[in-house]
Amino acid sequence: MKRILVTGGAGFLGSHLCDLLLEKGHEVISLDNYFTGRKTNLAHLQNHPRFEMVRHDVIDPFKFEVDWIFNLACPASPIHYQHNAIKTIKTSVMGAINCLGLAKRTGARVFQASTSEVYGDPDIHPQPESYWGHVNPIGPRSCYDEGKRCAETLFFDYHRQNRVDIRVVRIFNTYGPRMLADDGRVVSNFIVQALRGEDLTICGDGTQTRSFCFASDLIDGFVRFMENESGFPGPLNLGNPGEFTMLELAEIVLAKVGGKSKIVHHPLPQDDPRQRRPDITKARELLNWEPKVALAEGLDRTIAYFRNSETGKG
Ligand code: NAD
Ligand code: UDP
């Protein structure tokens, strides 16, 4: 049994991670400032004897005697991370420094939730870990993209300079139950719009692509990588290589939910990446990992979750 700190533990991915770690018999501390996370995501764990919740901001230093640290604290949806851009970059950079300082002192293994956004608007497709990316350093997405890139730099510098045991994962778009209905990410937006009978808002002409991974597959990859004793620090792509245009996604959601919603087009946000698909060769080789949940099945489960929460049953 390990004692594990999960920053961002009350968020969409963090809460699923807490569930899996507890299922595996570990002791878990969630640290969160509840900016985009919710206590309700963890309400079912409140009386769990191996679980604790701490309200804290990763920008401020913290001390815990732990064996493992998962650093997930950071708003992930464009509308939330652009709401206070300076706070977003501080969260990534200072959160990384605080996690790494703690890992250095305690000898804990530390995991960084990095992102496919480090590849920016990629001109290599699909994206392998060796690709350095194509990122605008001064645009509206930069607080997130460059914050995550700087966090990666810090992780590798602490690894080289202080021999901190790191695991850096680059997460491609992930969806599933416990996403916020109003956080603006495309899968939750389309599902909630269709369930409410509103029109589905496609940004631009809808030919841009993304690859969507179901949350349980991703979290399984996180834990496999943390358990891996090869010493490989990353970066490691985790995501589902199935690639869809936003038009295709909208049509699949409409076919599944039914109703009268139509597709409408909104302007494409600045610097919106044209295409994204992970090359997961490394994860296959190192962890024997690949996603199991196809988009159709993952959407069914996510639609069921939002159907319940929209009708007050969730
Ligand atoms: P989320 O917004 O649901 O979760 C982020 C959590 O971090 C929330 O609980 C939030 O309250 C907390 N948080 C934010 N700022 C904080 C701060 N300063 N101090 C303490 N807590 C803070 O997002 P998510 O989708 O669960 O993403 C989790 C992590 O995975 C993030 O680091 C994100 O960048 C990364 N990621 C997610 C995706 C995805 O598709 N879901 C893709 C790439 C990377
Ligand atoms: N998008 C869309 N309609 C929406 C929300 C997003 O067409 O209501 C598009 C967005 O412009 C982008 C893609 O869907 O091209 C994925 O957006 P999301 O914010 O989910 O993730 P990210 O852009 O960070 O990959």
Side-chain angles (χ1 to χ4, degrees):
M1 181 180 84
K2 305 225 180 290
R3 183 177 293 168
I4 303 173
L5 177 68
V6 178
T7 78
F12 158 49
L13 294 176
S15 61
H16 288 295
L17 176 61
C18 291
D19 282 341
L20 181 59
L21 294 172
L22 288 166
E23 255 170 54
K24 285 181 150 274
H26 299 299
E27 202 174 300
V28 177
I29 304 165
S30 158
L31 181 154
D32 205 296
N33 71 350
Y34 305 110
F35 174 45
T36 51
R38 291 173 294 180
K39 286 187 190 167
T40 48
N41 285 342
L42 299 171
H44 58 292
L45 302 176
Q46 220 167 3
N47 296 320
H48 195 295
R50 285 182 278 107
F51 182 69
E52 272 175 75
M53 281 162 76
V54 176
R55 179 190 285 270
H56 187 82
D57 196 305
V58 288
I59 284 176
D60 302 317
F62 41 88
K63 276 188 187 164
F64 297 93
E65 294 306 313
V66 288
D67 306 298
W68 284 358
I69 304 163
F70 284 89
N71 184 33
L72 273 66
C74 186
S77 92
I79 53 169
H80 284 135
Y81 72 63
Q82 290 172 19
H83 169 74
N84 184 344
I86 296 166
K87 172 80 189 203
T88 298
I89 198 160
K90 278 187 180 172
T91 295
S92 269
V93 174
M94 294 166 75
I97 291 172
N98 288 327
C99 286
L100 287 160
L102 181 64
K104 183 182 161 188
R105 279 200 304 282
T106 58
R109 179 170 293 174
V110 58
F111 172 104
Q112 169 65 0
S114 190
T115 169
S116 56
E117 301 284 345
V118 302
Y119 301 124
D121 188 8
D123 37 27
I124 289 192
H125 194 72
Q127 294 79 52
E129 290 88 349
S130 54
Y131 177 49
W132 289 357
H134 179 220
V135 177
N136 177 358
I138 55 166
R141 297 175 79 99
S142 311
C143 59
Y144 184 75
D145 302 7
E146 298 289 15
K148 290 284 186 178
R149 285 168 68 95
C150 181
E152 286 200 9
T153 306
L154 285 160
F155 267 71
F156 279 83
D157 284 337
Y158 270 77
H159 178 60
R160 277 187 291 262
Q161 227 169 294
N162 301 115
R163 292 184 298 283
V164 172
D165 187 11
I166 62 163
R167 301 283 185 279
V168 175
V169 158
R170 292 182 178 155
I171 305 165
F172 285 66
N173 299 59
T174 300
Y175 68 100
R178 301 187 192 154
M179 292 183 88
L180 287 174
D182 58 355
D183 87 356
R185 285 186 269 188
V186 69
V187 175
S188 44
N189 261 19
F190 285 177
I191 291 176
V192 170
Q193 288 166 339
L195 287 171
R196 291 178 184 165
E198 296 166 0
D199 292 340
L200 273 59
T201 52
I202 288 196
C203 299
D205 63 6
T207 57
Q208 71 271 34
T209 68
R210 294 292 186 275
S211 300
F212 297 105
C213 187
F214 191 65
S216 59
D217 280 333
L218 184 83
I219 301 299
D220 171 49
F222 283 11
V223 175
R224 281 183 195 223
F225 192 26
M226 256 329 228
E227 287 170 347
N228 183 268
E229 296 297 339
S230 69
F232 176 67
L236 186 73
N237 286 343
L238 290 181
N240 190 320
E243 184 181 0
F244 298 86
T245 67
M246 296 313 102
L247 217 42
E248 286 169 333
L249 178 70
E251 278 159 5
I252 299 169
V253 170
L254 279 180
K256 285 186 176 295
V257 176
K260 296 200 181 79
S261 304
K262 294 187 298 295
I263 287 174
V264 294
H265 290 267
H266 283 190
L268 190 68
Q270 188 190 328
D271 296 337
D272 199 276
R274 287 289 317 149
Q275 54 182 1
R276 266 235 214 89
R277 171 152 59 103
D279 177 336
I280 59 165
T281 311
K282 184 76 198 171
R284 281 200 179 102
E285 284 168 5
L286 185 77
L287 308 177
N288 195 21
W289 176 87
E290 61 182 359
K292 295 190 181 73
V293 183
L295 184 65
E297 184 191 341
L299 285 178
D300 285 341
R301 292 201 219 165
T302 312
I303 290 167
Y305 166 80
F306 279 114
R307 210 185 277 283
N308 285 338
S309 44
E310 286 288 296
T311 52
K313 287 187 225 131

